[in-house]
């Protein structure tokens, strides 16, 4: 696939103001352009009881099992869905009858700051999208990643993009961000330069299309967790 032409088209669109003007919500300040957004960073009691067992072990901090919940129209099925998120137990989407539409595994515990920091649901240029801010590590050194998901065919949770957006070491904090544009996104590494990512409808994910600055190197994007599908 030749990415040069679409990269130039998308970059031109973004520079010309063709991207969304929706500002990042304060609970998820790294994500710009998610329209009709609902977002929460407030843990709810007993959310984890509605989710399958995950990576909980003696090494998991209390925040790893804290659950976030939102209601939104995110799937093709009738009615509003309920989205549940937890660091250790992953992501679960329930239909209006509280039946599991789809689920995804959680994350292995790494440190005392492990948690899903915030959960957002909205539309990336009309496409229903789930966003998670996931923090790994300890209170002295930790990394926050932004992960984007879509509900695909057969109720699958499709991880379409995951990348670091904040690096914290003591009082030193480096931040980046994601700006949604038509059929793509711009990703700035924490404290670094910006690259263009193009959505591939065949692969169902955003692919790196090149730096906006020719001297830049490809940004690091962490691999998403493997999805596990509910019925």
């Amino acid at each position: 696939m030749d990415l040069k032409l679409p990269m130039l088209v998308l970059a031109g669109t973004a520079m010309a103001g063709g991207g969304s003007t929706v500002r990042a919500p304060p609970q998820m300040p790294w994500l710009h352009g998610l329209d009709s957004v609902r977002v929460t960073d407030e843990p709810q009691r007993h959310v984890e009881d509605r989710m399958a067992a995950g990576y909980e072990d003696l090494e998991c901090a209390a925040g790893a099992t804290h659950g976030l919940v939102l209601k939104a129209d995110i799937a093709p099925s009738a009615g509003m869905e309920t989205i549940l998120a937890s660091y250790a137990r992953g992501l679960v989407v329930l239909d209006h009858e509280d039946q599991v539409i789809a689920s995804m595994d959680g994350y292995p515990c790494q440190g005392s700051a492990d948690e899903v920091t915030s959960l957002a649901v909205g539309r990336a240029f009309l496409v229903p999208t789930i966003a998670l801010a996931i923090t790994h590590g300890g209170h002295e050194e930790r990394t926050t990643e932004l992960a984007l998901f879509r509900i695909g065919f057969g109720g699958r949770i499709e991880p379409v993009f995951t990348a670091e957006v904040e690096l914290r070491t003591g009082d030193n904090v480096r931040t980046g961000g994601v700006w949604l544009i038509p059929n793509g996104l711009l990703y700035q590494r924490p404290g670094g330069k910006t690259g263009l990512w193009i959505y591939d409808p065949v692969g169902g994910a955003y692919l790196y299309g090149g730096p906006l600055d020719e001297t830049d190197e490809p940004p690091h994007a962490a691999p998403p967790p493997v999805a596990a599908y509910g019925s």
Side-chain angles (χ1 to χ4, degrees), residues 50 70 72-84 91-104 130 150-158 227-231:
R50 304 169 69 184
L70 282 176
D73 185 5
I74 193 69
S77 57
M80 298 280 282
E81 286 75 42
T82 300
I83 300 94
L84 311 174
L91 188 62
V92 175
V93 180
L94 307 174
D95 65 14
H96 67 285
E97 295 180 341
D98 237 20
Q99 299 299 308
V100 175
I101 295 175
S103 64
M104 186 195 74
I130 300 172
R150 296 180 180 182
I151 304 298
F153 293 108
R156 297 187 304 168
I157 292 182
E158 297 180 347
Y229 310 122
S231 57

Side-chain angles (χ1 to χ4, degrees), residues 30 113 135-144 165-175 190:
W30 316 275
T135 297
H136 310 273
H139 289 284
E140 184 64 24
E141 294 185 9
R142 60 185 183 270
T143 299
T144 298
V165 290
E166 184 172 289
L167 304 177
R168 182 181 295 268
T169 303
D171 295 330
N172 181 25
V173 181
R174 291 181 291 161
T175 59

Side-chain angles (χ1 to χ4, degrees), residues 155-205:
R156 297 187 304 168
I157 292 182
E158 297 180 347
V160 296
F161 181 79
T162 304
E164 297 173 349
V165 290
E166 184 172 289
L167 304 177
R168 182 181 295 268
T169 303
D171 295 330
N172 181 25
V173 181
R174 291 181 291 161
T175 59
V178 171
W179 289 260
L180 298 171
I181 60 176
N183 300 313
L185 59 82
L186 302 177
Y187 166 59
Q188 181 184 25
R189 292 178 294 172
K193 296 181 179 179
T194 302
L196 179 67
W197 294 69
I198 301 166
Y199 185 73
D200 175 20
V202 177

